[in-house]
Amino acid sequence: MKRLLLLRHAKSSWDNPDLADIERPLAPRGVEAALLIGRTIAQRNWLPDRALVSEAERTRETWRLAAGEWLSRPEPSFSRSLYEMPAQAILGEIRRNGEDAETLLVLGHNPGLGDLAESLAGNTSNGKLVKSLKKKFPTGALAVFEFNGDWTGLDVGAATLIHFLRPKDLG
């Protein structure tokens, strides 16, 4: 059974209007959320074997803080292409880069990440979780999926959403 973790970056700061969007750092609330989600991933033993991370500043910071809560972590694969990538393109990245990972983490942005989570869940998952996910995939949220097969076979409706965690649910 494979596990896919879709993590949206934690809350970013808008304090410096001169920064390009890709350069925005985390807000203090985002720092707290990243640490909290990192601890939750460790406590639930969802540690990834492989991580695909957007190279935006806020995703890099979310990765550094969350992964800092783990005893072991993979070397992340940072990708400019994950920044503002649509759902189908993110799915393509997963298929190409999942390799032999049992648990794969993708740390990125909306709307692509949220759209991907909705499409993977399809109608096969817990209706209450899917409804919550479709309502809003906020910053710092984590969608956890399981599916049988290999990463190249991951497709729309093929995974089961087993958890959807938002920072406000954990703090």
Side-chain angles (χ1 to χ4, degrees), residues 12-19 24-29:
S12 61
S13 172
W14 291 87
D15 289 347
N16 185 345
D18 295 330
L19 288 178
R24 286 189 296 113
L26 292 181
R29 189 173 101 200

Side-chain angles (χ1 to χ4, degrees), residues 13-156:
S13 172
W14 291 87
D15 289 347
N16 185 345
D18 295 330
L19 288 178
D21 182 68
I22 198 167
E23 297 171 342
R24 286 189 296 113
L26 292 181
R29 189 173 101 200
V31 170
E32 291 176 25
L35 292 167
L36 183 58
I37 203 69
R39 280 192 295 276
T40 300
I41 289 170
Q43 290 165 351
R44 296 185 183 205
N45 200 29
W46 294 337
L47 300 175
D49 304 306
R50 186 151 172 71
L52 307 176
V53 181
S54 161
E55 67 176 30
E57 180 61 26
R58 60 193 176 272
T59 50
R60 286 177 170 273
E61 283 188 55
T62 301
W63 166 259
R64 182 179 52 78
L65 292 165
E69 297 292 310
W70 310 336
L71 292 176
S72 67
R73 60 195 149 278
E75 188 64 36
S77 192
F78 292 105
S79 171
R80 173 87 181 201
S81 63
L82 283 174
Y83 178 70
E84 296 185 337
M85 188 178 267
Q88 277 304 113
I90 297 171
L91 182 58
E93 287 291 306
I94 291 168
R95 289 174 178 157
R96 284 187 298 279
N97 295 292
E99 298 167 357
D100 59 351
E102 290 300 312
T103 300
L104 175 66
L105 178 130
V106 178
L107 203 164
H109 311 265
N110 269 358
L113 204 66
D115 292 345
L116 177 60
E118 286 183 35
S119 72
L120 290 176
N123 297 319
T124 64
S125 301
N126 178 308
K128 184 177 177 182
L129 288 178
V130 173
K131 184 177 179 181
S132 178
L133 184 145
K134 286 183 177 185
K135 183 176 180 183
K136 186 175 182 183
F137 198 115
T139 54
L142 174 69
V144 182
F145 293 89
E146 288 184 343
F147 74 100
N148 288 313
D150 61 22
W151 297 109
T152 59
L154 182 61
D155 208 350
V156 172

